[in-house]
Amino acid sequence: METDQERIMESILGLWGDRNNRIKMNSKGGLHQKYAPRGLGVVTGERPPKFSQSRLARAITIYTQEGSINFAKLKEINEKKEQLAFVMKEFIKWVISNEQDIRNKAKQLQSKYSARTESLELHPRIKQNICVMMIGFIFWLDFMLENQIIDSTTKDKLQEEAYQVLEEVGRNQQSDVEDEDPVKVFFKTIGQLQVAGKVYLTDYKTGMATDLEAGTHIGYIDNETNQYYLIADTVYKEVEKACIGRFIVTPKQLQKSLADEGYIVTDRDNRKVLRRTDPKTKNKVEVLIIPKQKWNEAMGYEPDTSI
């Protein structure tokens, strides 16, 4: 039941990732107290979910493969369940008795690691995840230091090592997030459809196909203005169909993303879907207008340097 799994996972990423929860109304019409999720939500799966960028950025994904897990160490850990439970109990008691100091230090660590991650080219949510994970791990190190399990040199070493690991994982997560960029998926899919001969464009002046006239007509090329006119409704449906239900943005969300990233021309009223006249039928057609330079950039074409 893939859809049920996706729905549950999206709820976890949304609510837990936002440290948020639904607020229920009481019998008097007021609202019950709101309880935000605390701790870490750990989910295992065989494949990453196909969600929007903001949803995926709320998680840190750890990929495993053969050799990733030290089964000898895992067996050793499982044999010491009672000791682990005892240590966790002591750690919780330590957190309770040091609550105010932890609150104060957490704010300092938040500022420190927010500044450190600022220069990283990562989604803001991923940076936030790195900060949260570092804060939790540092308190664990503080607990071990206070109980003389490690010394200060080891603590500093483990702290820096943890940050380097999280930064690397964050970059991997960023790659996953970028793969779900609706704009990139949009143009990549159009390119694949063109190569497969499933869609084609026509010259805006003559109405003749610029390539093999096969598949669905999705737009025009205006060589006088150096612009592409994609038939808004048609091109969206072709991309959505090609993605087999994995293109999860609505037409309006896609148009907003295209406009925000500077790929389409808007009018003075910021309308993203404009009208042009079909050269053959003379009917008005609603199109997305893309400058040739931005089209080439999106499709990965080499810039035209000819004079």
Side-chain angles (χ1 to χ4, degrees):
M1 300 299 291
E2 184 175 306
T3 28
D4 284 346
Q5 291 178 341
E6 296 273 354
R7 178 179 52 78
I8 293 167
M9 189 63 209
E10 188 167 17
S11 296
I12 293 172
L13 283 177
L15 296 173
W16 200 299
D18 284 341
R19 293 293 189 266
N20 205 347
N21 205 347
R22 292 179 297 177
I23 306 175
K24 295 183 179 180
M25 186 175 290
N26 59 34
S27 58
K28 297 181 180 179
L31 298 176
H32 285 292
Q33 184 175 348
K34 180 179 177 180
Y35 294 96
R38 293 177 289 179
L40 292 177
V42 181
V43 179
T44 59
E46 296 177 355
R47 59 180 174 79
K50 286 283 186 180
F51 294 141
S52 65
Q53 287 181 291
S54 61
R55 279 285 191 264
L56 285 179
R58 285 167 166 79
I60 286 183
T61 306
I62 307 297
Y63 293 99
T64 58
Q65 55 189 9
E66 189 174 354
S68 294
I69 299 171
N70 185 332
F71 286 100
K73 179 62 68 175
L74 185 62
K75 182 180 179 182
E76 180 186 343
I77 290 172
N78 284 330
E79 289 172 351
K80 297 180 178 179
K81 290 180 181 178
E82 291 185 5
Q83 292 96 318
L84 287 173
F86 173 78
V87 172
M88 183 54 66
K89 181 190 72 172
E90 292 300 312
F91 177 62
I92 293 170
K93 287 165 61 178
W94 179 83
V95 169
I96 293 171
S97 61
N98 291 278
E99 179 183 356
Q100 193 55 52
D101 290 340
I102 287 174
R103 286 179 180 273
N104 295 335
K105 186 173 180 178
K107 292 178 181 178
Q108 297 171 8
L109 291 172
Q110 177 72 33
S111 299
K112 174 183 176 179
Y113 284 101
S114 292
R116 187 167 180 180
T117 58
E118 187 176 358
S119 61
L120 299 178
E121 295 183 0
L122 302 176
H123 191 286
R125 293 277 185 183
I126 298 176
K127 295 180 183 180
Q128 184 183 59
N129 288 338
I130 293 174
C131 292
V132 169
M133 293 288 284
M134 282 304 302
I135 290 170
F137 187 63
I138 287 170
F139 286 132
W140 173 251
L141 294 178
D142 286 347
F143 166 73
M144 291 199 292
L145 178 65
E146 192 171 307
N147 285 276
Q148 300 180 345
I149 300 167
I150 58 173
D151 57 27
S152 58
T153 302
T154 303
K155 176 182 178 295
D156 293 341
K157 179 174 176 288
L158 290 172
Q159 186 171 319
E160 181 58 27
E161 184 181 335
Y163 178 81
Q164 295 302 326
V165 169
L166 286 171
E167 187 176 306
E168 180 182 353
V169 172
R171 288 197 178 95
N172 292 336
Q173 188 73 13
Q174 180 67 23
S175 178
D176 287 346
V177 169
E178 289 175 355
D179 285 344
E180 297 305 317
D181 181 346
V183 171
K184 289 186 178 180
V185 173
F186 178 69
F187 285 112
K188 180 181 178 181
T189 305
I190 292 174
Q192 292 171 342
L193 289 171
Q194 283 183 304
V195 171
K198 294 184 177 180
V199 299
Y200 69 96
L201 298 161
T202 58
D203 184 278
Y204 186 63
K205 187 174 182 180
T206 66
M208 301 295 292
T210 58
D211 204 341
L212 181 66
E213 188 171 335
T216 304
H217 177 226
I218 60 167
Y220 318 85
I221 303 176
D222 190 338
N223 291 308
E224 291 184 358
T225 63
N226 282 325
Q227 291 178 327
Y228 282 73
Y229 306 146
L230 298 184
I231 304 171
D233 184 53
T234 303
V235 73
Y236 176 85
K237 287 180 179 178
E238 288 300 313
V239 170
E240 184 183 41
K241 184 170 63 176
C243 291
I244 318 174
R246 295 296 188 181
F247 195 56
I248 57 175
V249 294
T250 65
K252 286 189 176 181
Q253 288 171 336
L254 173 64
Q255 293 157 18
K256 183 179 185 304
S257 295
L258 288 168
D260 289 346
E261 296 187 33
Y263 283 104
I264 61 174
V265 175
T266 58
D267 65 7
R268 66 181 64 185
D269 296 320
N270 199 34
R271 282 181 293 207
K272 300 164 184 65
V273 178
L274 305 178
R275 288 191 169 191
R276 289 296 182 268
T277 303
D278 184 281
K280 285 186 175 180
T281 66
K282 305 305 179 184
N283 293 328
K284 292 292 184 182
V285 183
E286 292 190 331
V287 298
L288 303 171
I289 300 179
I290 304 174
K292 187 176 182 179
Q293 180 183 352
K294 297 299 291 184
W295 173 271
N296 291 342
E297 175 188 314
M299 302 300 283
Y301 298 155
E302 292 294 326
D304 186 2
T305 56
S306 60
I307 299 175

